[in-house]
Amino acid sequence: MYAITGITGNVGGAVARTLLAEGHSVRAVVRDAAKGQVWSDLGCEVAIADMEDAASLTRAFTGVRGVFVLPPPNFDPTPGFSEAKAVIDAVSRALVAAQPARVICLSTVGAQAAQSNLLSQRTLMEEALSALPLPVAFLRPAWFLDNLAWDIAGAREQGVFASFLQPLDRPIPMVAAADVGRVAAELLVQEGPVERIVELEGPERVSPNAIAAALSTVLDRLVQAEAVPRETWGSLFLSQGMKDPMPRIQMLDGFNEGWITFEGGDATVRKGKVGLIEVIRSLAS
């Protein structure tokens, strides 16, 4: 049996569905029992746990062969990443107590970056779990293509894809959540040792201009990519309700300046199967 955290999200759900399709038993780790019902109906065992509660996580992780750790996303963390540190502490203590044979933790491209940014929450998780006396692997996916869900309405209604990734003609690694979930499931069930760091991108790198062209194709209307001026980011994010936009701005700078990137060479990065058009079609349907 495999315990899957974050199962109600795109990646965790993809991990679970992949495992179930291959005949494996799954323990769905959820905070809310009501959200576990759909997984119970699919034949999963359901465990109720809070990602900041070591005791409930220990119960959820006990007796399984492998655990998939998906730290909850926090796009507006407090200074010092106190929320992430609380999760890291609880997860670490639970894993040591439960002693699963294999742990796959969802991290991110650029987790090795020394500069502080929004993704530093994953850097802290890697540092803590690397020190555990357990076989832990970190899956570092590229920028999620599924983030385009936020852009479909603007593209459909106004013909504009507003991009924080710049310049508009520079391709960067991106990947579909479906590929991330599939690879995570493969890592969970494979026999023998697994490499400590697994970096993953989609079948091709895409630029904001390429995204606009793909949106044009799927939506059957002209869509133009437009760069959101950097000097407006702070006020824009504050207007959207963020309390401290700086970590997000620093992350975007990291992608645009090239210091958030894969640690290994291109030859070592795994390639996914799901492309840009397929993801946009699923989001726009």
Side-chain angles (χ1 to χ4, degrees):
M1 177 173 286
Y2 298 91
I4 310 299
T5 66
I7 197 169
T8 58
N10 288 337
V11 172
V15 177
R17 286 189 292 273
T18 301
L19 292 173
L20 290 170
E22 294 175 354
H24 299 288
S25 299
V26 170
R27 180 178 294 166
V29 183
V30 296
R31 183 192 299 262
D32 182 352
K35 292 184 177 180
Q37 186 60 53
V38 63
W39 294 103
S40 177
D41 292 345
L42 290 173
C44 297
E45 186 178 297
V46 175
I48 309 301
D50 190 304
M51 291 297 286
E52 297 181 0
D53 179 22
S56 63
L57 286 175
T58 298
R59 292 190 293 272
F61 296 165
T62 297
V64 301
R65 179 178 183 270
V67 174
F68 177 65
V69 176
L70 197 163
N74 186 344
F75 300 106
D76 192 16
T78 57
F81 306 115
S82 59
E83 302 93 345
K85 288 177 179 177
V87 171
I88 291 166
D89 178 69
V91 169
S92 297
R93 289 194 284 140
L95 290 172
V96 170
Q99 291 288 304
R102 185 182 298 264
V103 179
I104 308 300
C105 178
L106 185 68
S107 185
T108 178
V109 60
Q112 78 283 358
Q115 298 94 320
S116 181
N117 69 94
L118 189 64
L119 303 181
S120 296
Q121 298 172 88
R122 300 295 179 259
T123 305
L124 295 171
M125 176 69 85
E126 285 199 14
E127 290 173 351
L129 268 58
S130 292
L132 300 183
L134 293 168
V136 182
F138 301 101
L139 178 57
R140 293 182 179 175
W143 183 284
F144 275 38
L145 284 167
D146 304 70
N147 292 338
L148 291 170
W150 301 101
D151 302 296
I152 298 296
R156 178 180 279 130
E157 297 165 12
Q158 299 157 9
V160 173
F161 167 54
S163 178
F164 296 95
L165 296 175
Q166 302 162 16
L168 298 179
D169 60 353
R170 182 170 68 91
I172 72 164
M174 296 190 182
V175 68
D179 274 330
V180 180
R182 176 183 56 79
V183 172
E186 291 173 359
L187 295 173
L188 274 171
V189 302
Q190 76 177 51
E191 299 294 334
V194 64
E195 56 264 54
R196 174 69 87 176
I197 295 171
V198 178
E199 297 182 306
L200 176 67
E201 63 175 305
E204 68 276 326
R205 297 185 177 183
V206 296
S207 67
N209 283 339
I211 292 172
L215 287 165
S216 299
T217 297
V218 174
L219 300 178
D220 195 25
R221 67 155 298 166
L222 179 63
V223 178
Q224 297 276 1
E226 293 185 0
V228 181
R230 189 189 182 283
E231 61 268 21
T232 68
W233 293 356
S235 58
L236 175 61
F237 296 155
L238 287 171
S239 73
Q240 294 171 342
M242 294 189 73
K243 296 177 181 178
D244 181 10
M246 189 51 63
R248 184 179 177 188
I249 291 173
Q250 291 167 327
M251 176 193 72
L252 291 167
D253 283 342
F255 279 103
N256 292 339
E257 295 169 7
W259 51 264
I260 291 182
T261 187
F262 289 124
E263 186 172 17
D266 288 350
T268 66
V269 177
R270 296 198 187 192
K271 298 283 189 178
K273 302 175 181 178
V274 182
L276 174 62
I277 288 283
E278 185 176 346
V279 170
I280 292 177
R281 281 185 176 140
S282 68
L283 297 174
S285 60

